[in-house]
């Protein structure tokens, strides 16, 4: 059984941004139009949103997106992403490759050094051909590629898969990529969720620890774990069966099929499950939360992360111990914990422990115990 390391990490954040104030202006303009339409009908009027509500509910102040103008147009409220021909590189593959090249550069490797690509994200642009195979072709990696997903735990779940494949000797070097273009699946007319998500792409190179490897700042992966429990509290129903429920299957109704969640239940249930997962996972290795130098948690909700850590430690934990990128990026689904890792590890010393822990729809939780080399 081989020792396994994360030898490279890459992050790609799209340039366009949307502030809470801009998002609220767009949402409230649509509410005004919709309430005018509803006047005199049995439909209840819609409530407006505001920036203070968004910050209190999530901690998000701004987010980066693939395309902003379509989102902010109150007559559209969805990113405007042109269709590409089949022989052109897809947007998701392009986004994944952008972070993948950075991860390969960080690892000091060429694409041809990789023998498996795993593209794991909460949403995929299409069922097939696999985005990972498209990336394999465009990058020039060897071997194979496949897609997978586990909601916001997608990157952690793929890391679990990659680490064990390398540990067993089935593969030598694996590229894990999580390109999250989640704004394309978000209902910007839903007051409870329209402010939550942003777009980001992350990649990691997973390989065996070679004798005499002197590359600084790498992490050995001591163990990984995933946990799931069925819940409808975070759900999307959009899929290839959506059309079959329509009277006219060529006119797809998106109403009710985009992302929805029961926020208060998610907060309570995932907080309890996340704290239990962290404490028990560390205990299996004879560790307590106090022994871990840094926690890179899923970037979904600032209050939720604070509560999980407070329950785990018995006291409040600061940004240095558990850094947050949520305020400026929003919830980037499976990418968020890896963005936090990429931006907050350079000051760690050899022997320091770190914990990746992501949680989300499913419910699902994925974790990886790391040690700085």
């Amino acid at each position: 059984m081989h020792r396994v390391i994360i030898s490279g990490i890459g992050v790609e954040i799209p340039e366009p941004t949307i502030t809470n104030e801009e998002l609220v202006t767009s949402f409230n303009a649509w509410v005004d139009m919709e309430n005018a339409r509803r006047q005199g009908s049995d439909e209840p009027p819609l409530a407006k949103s505001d920036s203070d509500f968004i910050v209190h509910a999530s901690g998000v102040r701004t987010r980066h997106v693939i395309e902003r103008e379509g989102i902010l147009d109150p007559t559209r409220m969805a990113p405007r992403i042109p269709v590409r021909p089949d022989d052109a590189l897809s947007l998701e593959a392009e986004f994944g490759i952008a972070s993948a090249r950075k991860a390969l550069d960080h690892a000091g490797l060429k694409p041809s050094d990789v023998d498996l690509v795993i593209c794991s994200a909460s949403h995929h642009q299409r069922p097939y051909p696999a985005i990972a195979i498209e990336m394999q072709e465009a990058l020039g990696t060897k071997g194979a590629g496949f897609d997978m997903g586990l909601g916001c735990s997608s990157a952690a779940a793929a890391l679990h898969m990659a680490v064990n494949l390398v540990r067993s000797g089935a593969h030598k070097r694996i590229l894990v990529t999580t390109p999250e273009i989640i704004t394309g699946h978000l209902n910007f007319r839903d007051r409870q969720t329209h402010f939550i998500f942003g777009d980001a792409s992350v990649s990691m190179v997973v390989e065996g620890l070679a004798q005499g490897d002197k590359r600084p700042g790498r992490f050995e992966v001591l163990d990984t774990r995933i946990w799931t429990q069925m819940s409808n509290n975070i759900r999307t129903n959009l899929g290839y069966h959506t059309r079959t429920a329509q009277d006219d299957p060529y006119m797809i109704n998106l109403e009710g099929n985009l992302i929805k969640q029961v926020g208060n239940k998610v907060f309570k249930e995932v907080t309890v499950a996340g704290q239990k997962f962290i404490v028990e996972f560390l205990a299996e290795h004879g560790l307590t939360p106090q022994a871990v130098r840094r926690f890179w948690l899923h970037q979904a909700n600032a209050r939720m992360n604070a509560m999980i850590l407070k329950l785990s430690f018995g006291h409040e934990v600061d940004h240095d111990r558990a850094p947050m990128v949520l305020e400026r990026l929003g919830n980037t689904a499976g990418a968020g914990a890896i963005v936090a890792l990429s931006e907050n590890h350079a000051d760690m010393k050899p022997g320091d422990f770190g914990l990746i822990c992501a949680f989300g729809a499913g419910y699902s939780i994925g974790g990886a115990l790391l040690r700085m080399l």
Side-chain angles (χ1 to χ4, degrees):
M1 302 295 283
H2 302 279
R3 295 172 67 185
V4 181
I5 63 171
I6 298 173
S7 61
I9 307 169
V11 173
E12 179 72 10
I13 306 295
E15 184 176 345
T17 63
I18 297 176
T19 65
N20 285 349
E21 290 73 21
E22 290 174 311
L23 200 64
V24 165
T25 297
S26 171
F27 180 83
N28 289 348
W30 173 77
V31 167
D32 285 337
M33 292 188 294
E34 179 64 12
N35 283 343
R37 184 190 69 79
R38 294 185 179 199
Q39 195 167 15
S41 73
D42 294 334
E43 295 179 279
L46 298 174
K48 292 187 175 182
S49 188
D50 65 76
S51 296
D52 290 341
F53 160 72
I54 292 174
V55 174
H56 172 74
S58 67
V60 178
R61 294 184 182 275
T62 188
R63 69 282 297 143
H64 287 247
V65 297
I66 286 288
E67 197 279 331
R68 61 172 256 133
E69 301 309 321
I71 293 171
L72 293 177
D73 179 352
T75 66
R76 176 182 174 84
M77 300 180 81
R80 197 179 301 276
I81 300 173
V83 174
R84 298 182 180 185
D86 288 353
D87 59 356
L89 191 66
S90 71
L91 179 61
E92 187 175 6
E94 179 180 88
F95 202 30
I97 286 170
S99 65
R101 292 195 186 281
K102 293 179 180 179
L104 289 166
D105 287 345
H106 184 218
L109 298 172
K110 304 183 297 295
S112 58
D113 295 321
V114 171
D115 60 355
L116 180 66
V117 177
I118 302 175
C119 182
S120 183
S122 61
H123 300 85
H124 288 291
Q125 186 168 339
R126 61 171 188 269
Y128 48 81
I131 302 299
I133 300 175
E134 187 180 11
M135 290 181 60
Q136 175 194 13
E137 171 74 14
L139 281 168
T141 64
K142 297 177 180 177
F146 64 85
D147 293 349
M148 60 174 284
L150 192 63
C152 290
S153 302
S154 290
L159 182 60
H160 174 71
M161 181 78 71
V163 165
N164 285 287
L165 286 170
V166 172
R167 199 184 301 281
S168 70
H171 288 274
K172 187 175 181 181
R173 292 190 183 93
I174 299 176
L175 174 66
V176 171
T177 183
T178 302
E180 294 284 17
I181 310 175
I182 200 165
T183 54
H185 202 91
L186 182 57
N187 184 356
F188 285 96
R189 295 176 177 175
D190 175 18
R191 185 176 182 271
Q192 299 302 313
T193 59
H194 78 111
F195 56 86
I196 296 175
F197 294 100
D199 300 325
S201 176
V202 298
S203 295
M204 295 176 282
V205 177
V206 178
E207 61 178 303
L209 177 60
Q211 189 172 5
D213 190 340
K214 300 297 185 182
R215 289 174 292 180
R218 271 51 182 180
F219 287 100
E220 181 175 4
V221 184
L222 301 180
D223 197 9
T224 59
R225 187 79 77 255
I226 55 174
W227 169 93
T228 59
Q229 175 181 294
M230 178 60 188
S231 171
N232 284 318
N233 289 329
I234 312 173
R235 187 177 178 98
T236 174
N237 289 319
L238 187 63
Y240 68 92
H241 277 178
T242 304
R243 65 192 291 266
T244 66
Q246 311 301 317
D247 292 334
D248 180 350
Y250 293 94
M251 295 293 290
I252 296 177
N253 178 15
L254 298 182
E255 186 67 29
N257 289 311
L258 298 176
I259 296 169
K260 56 187 177 183
Q261 71 172 24
V262 185
N264 59 337
K265 287 188 176 181
V266 171
F267 186 98
K268 293 175 183 177
E269 295 169 3
V270 173
T271 295
V272 172
Q275 184 268 341
K276 185 174 185 287
F277 179 94
I278 288 171
V279 171
E280 291 182 354
F281 184 31
L282 293 177
E284 290 181 22
H285 295 273
L287 298 172
T288 64
Q290 287 77 7
V292 177
R293 174 65 185 89
R294 188 152 289 151
F295 290 78
W296 304 286
L297 302 185
H298 174 44
Q299 304 290 303
N301 185 290
R303 292 188 299 123
M304 180 189 293
N305 282 12
M307 182 59 70
I308 289 172
L309 291 163
K310 185 175 182 179
L311 291 172
S312 299
F313 278 83
H315 58 79
E316 293 185 353
V317 174
D318 63 13
H319 175 87
D320 178 67
R321 181 63 69 91
M324 295 289 292
V325 299
L326 174 78
E327 181 177 353
R328 76 176 197 277
L329 297 180
N331 178 350
T332 52
I338 309 306
V339 176
L341 166 64
S342 176
E343 294 184 358
N344 298 275
H345 74 274
D347 62 329
M348 294 177 67
K349 298 178 174 57
D352 281 351
F353 292 106
L355 184 73
I356 296 171
C357 188
F359 28 85
Y363 293 131
S364 63
I365 302 178
L369 179 61
L370 312 183
R371 181 170 58 200
M372 177 68 84
L373 293 173

